Amino acid sequence: MTGLKTLLRIPWHLLLLAGVLVLVGSLALYSASQGSWQPWAGRHAIRATIGMALVVGIAFVDFGFIRRMSYVFLATAILVLLAVMIIGTGQGVSRWISIGGVNFQPSEPTKIAVILALARYFGSQSHDRMHSFIWYLPAFVIIGIPFALIMKQPDLGTALMLLFGGLAVVFSAGLPWRYVLGSIAAVLAAVPLLWLQLHAYQKARVMTFFNPESDLLGAGYQITQSKIALGSGGVFGKGFLMGSQSQLNYLPEKQTDFVFTMIGEEFGFAGNIFILLIYLLLTIAILRISYRVKSRFAQLTCVGIGMMVFFYMFVNVAMVTGLLPVVGAPLPLISYGGTSMLTVFIGFGIVASAIVHDRRERTL
């Protein structure tokens, strides 16, 4: 395939929608630093430019090569997660590896590695095998090992994103509903055990979710300020750079986990709905591509990446509006965070490769 044909087959509408989110994110980070491109907005825009170039570059990579390397990607990701336990950095946690002064969070690209490994596993299984639960057990191992290592860091938000994205692939592979219901019952039965594994601050966040007013100046401070900011924004918001809760620094983590709240304060309910609409269009676009590609590996990969973006958005929005406990989940392409952003763009690049090389894949 010539370079021109490859460029013409790239799903540019994905990049257009992603660009809108990046633009919103850059403006939000500009506002978060009280009208300055430093320290967040400028870096955010530069990383996005690199990410979009990555999408185009990965689109040229043979999708068959990505399929063949999927288990290697997962094994490498697990080894790096093990290394994080030894040389990882962070305040009270071990989540990042510093390379040349640049902090890298290995748990983020691990989500993509898990999706690819699951898609390859299920893509190599016959339809008849999918009726027996035993053939799903390797999939739970593929999800379980990195999930446990990320929980150990600890990073509950990223671990949940990995779990949700992986389960989306498992369900899409054809897991019968009786096993789905059985799995839900098993998870509910394991809640007491999972509770014992949580750190004290994580338990406090969960308890605050049920009663935010119990500790307004402590564990409940973030979600209380978030609700005040969202409510004060009204329908159309207070205006760009005019959010009192965010500009006066009452709103914590406004550049990362609570950036949706800051946008809601400055652009109101209408601004938040606009963002949700873009995410919805982005998810639908990726899922439509999953229907267009013919190989099972490509279909499951696209579903996993599309649902990963959706769950990212859903958990973040539910978290800052008080519908879920605060677990530390960024808003994709809008929150400040280099590894998270580049991981999403790598996912889009893999989707682009899937559709660009689909005709060749279906002949193999």
Side-chain angles (χ1 to χ4, degrees):
M1 183 181 297
T2 65
L4 179 59
K5 286 185 177 179
T6 298
L7 288 173
L8 291 175
R9 289 180 64 82
I10 289 176
W12 291 103
H13 58 298
L14 287 186
L15 284 177
L16 177 62
L17 293 169
V20 173
L21 293 176
V22 167
L23 177 61
V24 171
S26 297
L27 293 175
L29 295 174
Y30 179 85
S31 177
S33 54
Q34 298 178 327
S36 172
W37 288 100
Q38 300 297 332
W40 303 308
R43 293 180 183 176
H44 188 77
I46 292 172
R47 289 167 176 170
T49 303
I50 296 172
M52 291 185 180
L54 269 177
V55 174
V56 177
I58 296 173
F60 281 85
V61 177
D62 182 12
F63 196 62
F65 173 78
I66 295 175
R67 184 184 66 249
R68 292 191 297 274
M69 292 296 292
S70 53
Y71 290 153
V72 176
F73 292 150
L74 179 63
T76 304
I78 290 174
L79 289 174
V80 176
L81 288 178
L82 289 170
V84 170
M85 298 175 65
I86 301 171
I87 61 174
T89 60
Q91 294 181 346
V93 297
S94 295
R95 295 179 186 172
W96 293 274
I97 291 178
S98 183
I99 303 175
V102 177
N103 289 325
F104 169 69
Q105 189 175 359
S107 57
E108 289 290 343
T110 300
K111 297 194 289 286
I112 298 288
V114 167
I115 289 171
L116 289 173
L118 289 170
R120 178 174 176 180
Y121 172 72
F122 286 116
S124 63
Q125 304 300 317
S126 66
H127 182 72
D128 294 339
R129 285 182 173 180
M130 294 297 94
H131 296 293
S132 174
F133 187 75
I134 192 171
W135 294 105
Y136 291 92
L137 294 179
F140 293 119
V141 174
I142 291 172
I143 298 173
I145 292 175
F147 175 82
L149 291 174
I150 295 172
M151 284 290 289
K152 190 71 176 176
Q153 293 180 358
D155 187 351
L156 180 60
T158 305
L160 289 176
M161 293 303 102
L162 181 144
L163 178 65
F164 293 155
L167 290 179
V169 177
V170 174
F171 294 150
S172 300
L175 184 69
W177 274 103
R178 62 181 182 278
Y179 298 137
V180 175
L181 297 176
S183 299
I184 293 174
V187 170
L188 293 176
V191 166
L193 180 61
L194 295 174
W195 177 259
L196 294 175
Q197 304 303 315
L198 295 179
H199 292 257
Y201 76 92
Q202 292 172 327
K203 292 179 180 178
R205 287 178 174 179
V206 175
M207 296 307 296
T208 301
F209 165 68
F210 290 108
N211 186 14
E213 289 75 22
S214 63
D215 189 9
L216 290 176
L217 298 179
Y221 182 79
Q222 285 182 319
I223 190 60
T224 301
Q225 294 299 323
S226 178
K227 289 180 179 178
I228 292 173
L230 281 172
S232 65
V235 177
F236 297 109
K238 297 176 177 175
F240 188 48
L241 298 171
M242 300 296 289
S244 55
Q245 295 298 114
S246 52
Q247 298 299 324
L248 297 177
N249 291 324
Y250 287 108
L251 182 64
E253 304 299 336
K254 58 191 176 188
Q255 78 280 13
T256 53
D257 294 353
F258 286 83
V259 70
F260 185 81
T261 301
M262 194 188 72
I263 294 170
E265 184 183 28
E266 297 193 351
F267 295 96
F269 181 71
N272 286 150
I273 289 297
F274 173 76
I275 292 174
L276 296 181
L277 178 62
I278 299 298
Y279 280 120
L280 183 62
L281 292 174
L282 196 55
T283 304
I284 291 174
I286 297 175
L287 294 182
R288 286 191 65 187
I289 290 175
S290 76
Y291 280 103
R292 289 173 56 190
V293 294
K294 298 303 179 184
S295 79
R296 188 164 170 76
F297 172 72
Q299 291 171 347
L300 293 175
T301 296
C302 292
V303 168
I305 291 171
M307 295 311 297
M308 179 189 74
V309 174
F310 174 80
F311 285 132
Y312 251 132
M313 177 274 296
F314 176 81
V315 171
N316 178 273
V317 173
M319 180 182 76
V320 301
T321 53
L323 299 177
L324 284 177
V326 177
V327 294
L331 197 59
L333 303 180
I334 292 182
S335 293
Y336 183 76
T339 316
S340 171
M341 171 184 278
L342 292 179
T343 297
V344 173
F345 275 120
I346 289 172
F348 292 167
I350 293 172
V351 172
S353 175
I355 191 69
V356 165
H357 301 280
D358 182 53
R359 292 178 182 174
R360 184 174 184 276
E361 281 291 299
R362 70 176 77 178
T363 61
L364 296 178

